[in-house]
Every structure is written in C-alpha cells, then in structure tokens.
Amino acid sequence: MSTDQTKTTHFGFQTVNEEAKAGMVHGVFSRVASKYDIMNDLMSMGIHRIWKNAMMDWLAPRPEQKLLDVAGGTGDIAFRFLKRAKGSTATVCDMTESMLIEGQKRADAENMASRLNWVVGDAMDLPFESNSFDVYTISFGIRNVTRIPDALKEAYRVLKPGGRLMVLEFSQIPNDLMQAVYDAYSFNVIPVMGQVVANDRDSYQYLVESIRKFPNQELFASMIREAGFNQVKYRNLSMGIAALHSGWKV
C-alpha cells in the first residue's frame, strides 16, 4: 500500500514538514517582535535604513497609489511610502499579530492612521480581492515563506494591471572572499547579539541560516518571471548582501 510522501521544506538549516514551517516562523517573529526594530539597527549597523530608502527611490511612489506591504511587520516600508506619495494609502499585512501591534505603537502609525490598514494574513493566501493594489512590496520577508512561488503568484493576483512588485531581501555576494567575511560575522556575531539584546539566540540563528537558504539573484529573478511578471530586474545593495527585485504586471 502506497502512502503520499509528506512534503518538506527548510527552516534555516533544518528540514521540516511544510505544514510545520509557518507555525515555526510565527514563533520566531512573535518572540522577537518587541526588539525587532532595534535589532535591525544593530545587526546592519543602520544600513537597513539606507536599503529601504533605496527601495523607495527605485519604486518612486506616486500620489493616490494603493500599497500592499506583505510581511510588513512594524511598518517601515509603509511609512516611507506614505511620506513620499500624497493621498496614497497602505495596507500592512503580516502573519504575526504581535509584529503589527508593535508597528501600531510607533509615532508614524499614529500620524498616518487614516491612511493605514493593519491586517493579519498569509502571503501564500492573501485575504484581498484580485486586482486591488497598485504596488506590492515585501521587505526581508519572502525568504520566510514556506512556498515562495505561491507567494509570488498571490502578489501577481492582487496587483492591478500595470501594478508593480518590489522585493527587498538578503542575497548573495558575488565575491567568495567577501561572502566568507560576511558569513563569519553573521554566524558568530548576530546570534550572540540576539541573545544579549533580545534574550533569544535561537531565533537569530534561524534568521541567519534562512538567508543562506534563499535563492541567489538570478534564480529569484527567474521565479518572479515564472509567476507572470514582466520587465523583471534586480539591483545589488552593499555588494549583494541585499538585493532589490522589481517586476510589473502587464
């Protein structure tokens, strides 16, 4: 008698059942939510702010646009978008409610409350109608999704024709020596920092490992094309430590 094989995926360097990953990722971000913003500053020495501003520069938000920011957590991308586009609105969608709660506590959230929505939802099964948004962004979140192609297909579905996808994610440095230096920092410093600042070494060990499991720039660009997007391009940031990917629903 044959039985269906259970589908597996990665959780950092561990192999886990697909149905278990979402809960494990949810646990990570629930634990780190209160220290998430300060840890981002410490881990990247503030450079993540430069990357996010570069994202906005390439995105060039326009007045009256509707943004969906998936895995938007504490609102960093949504706040930047709303500041640059008069009359625009933003929906921040995240599977971890505690991250959204931290975002709503921020001063920017209070100042922009009438233009912001906060929604608990799954990137692979978004709770929005098709053809609803002008822009879809996901920043340092897509590598945590169990099935990345499903998330990209959902991004395509909810965007209006002419809408734009932009992804900011950690990537791979195309220089072996520089990658080795970066790996040494990541694996030896970041988990210790997580223990000291957030009292949670394991979550930051996972976050470091998840970066190494994410597809490189060319492979991820091909995944975006396979989801239906056109004019797919990417730009390396900080020598490829992070990368921006852009695509259009034509």
Side-chain angles (χ1 to χ4, degrees):
M1 184 176 68
S2 63
T3 57
D4 292 335
Q5 285 189 325
T6 302
K7 290 186 176 180
T8 60
T9 186
H10 58 81
F11 178 77
F13 291 163
Q14 299 177 54
T15 298
V16 299
N17 292 341
E18 271 196 356
E19 64 267 21
K21 180 171 178 176
M24 296 169 79
V25 171
H26 183 274
V28 167
F29 286 96
S30 295
R31 291 192 297 272
V32 304
S34 65
K35 300 291 185 181
Y36 185 75
D37 291 323
I38 189 170
M39 277 297 295
N40 276 350
D41 278 331
L42 290 171
M43 287 188 300
S44 72
M45 294 171 280
I47 294 171
H48 77 100
R49 297 173 183 269
I50 296 171
W51 295 338
K52 289 168 181 173
N53 288 336
M55 184 184 197
M56 288 299 113
D57 290 343
W58 195 11
L59 191 57
R62 299 194 302 276
E64 310 298 330
Q65 285 187 318
K66 290 179 64 177
L67 167 72
L68 174 62
D69 185 35
V70 175
T74 59
D76 260 6
I77 298 302
F79 300 152
R80 283 171 166 79
F81 187 92
L82 294 176
K83 287 175 181 175
R84 295 201 187 199
K86 184 178 180 181
S88 60
T89 59
T91 298
V92 182
C93 180
D94 199 290
M95 68 181 294
T96 308
E97 186 175 16
S98 54
M99 291 285 285
L100 297 174
I101 290 170
E102 289 300 318
Q104 290 173 71
K105 293 177 183 177
R106 295 172 65 176
D108 284 332
E110 293 183 21
N111 296 337
M112 302 174 184
S114 64
R115 299 163 64 194
L116 270 168
N117 290 309
W118 304 84
V119 177
V120 176
D122 185 341
M124 298 184 297
D125 186 18
L126 293 170
F128 307 109
E129 293 184 3
S130 300
N131 308 310
S132 297
F133 297 94
D134 301 295
V135 181
Y136 173 114
T137 55
I138 183 166
S139 173
F140 303 121
I142 202 161
R143 75 181 190 281
N144 299 310
V145 173
T146 303
R147 296 183 300 279
I148 292 172
D150 288 1
L152 292 172
K153 287 176 185 175
E154 276 291 89
Y156 189 87
R157 180 184 68 79
V158 300
L159 279 170
K160 298 175 183 176
R164 190 175 187 186
L165 164 82
M166 188 163 285
V167 181
L168 171 59
E169 188 52 87
F170 290 111
S171 200
Q172 296 186 22
I173 303 172
N175 177 295
D176 291 343
L177 178 60
M178 292 303 297
Q179 183 67 50
V181 171
Y182 176 53
D183 284 349
Y185 165 75
S186 297
F187 284 100
N188 292 300
V189 175
I190 289 176
V192 174
M193 198 180 291
Q195 180 62 41
V196 172
V197 176
N199 195 31
D200 189 347
R201 183 189 183 99
D202 290 347
S203 291
Y204 285 92
Q205 182 72 29
Y206 158 73
L207 292 172
V208 170
E209 292 176 1
S210 68
I211 293 168
R212 302 312 182 278
K213 299 296 288 185
F214 189 69
N216 67 23
Q217 291 89 323
E218 290 290 347
L219 180 55
F220 185 54
S222 71
M223 294 171 73
I224 295 173
R225 293 187 189 98
E226 287 168 10
F229 289 95
N230 286 276
Q231 301 176 42
V232 176
K233 300 176 181 177
Y234 69 84
R235 296 178 180 178
N236 283 334
L237 303 173
S238 301
M239 300 179 295
I241 291 175
L244 282 170
H245 281 79
S246 171
W248 296 82
K249 180 177 177 176
V250 178

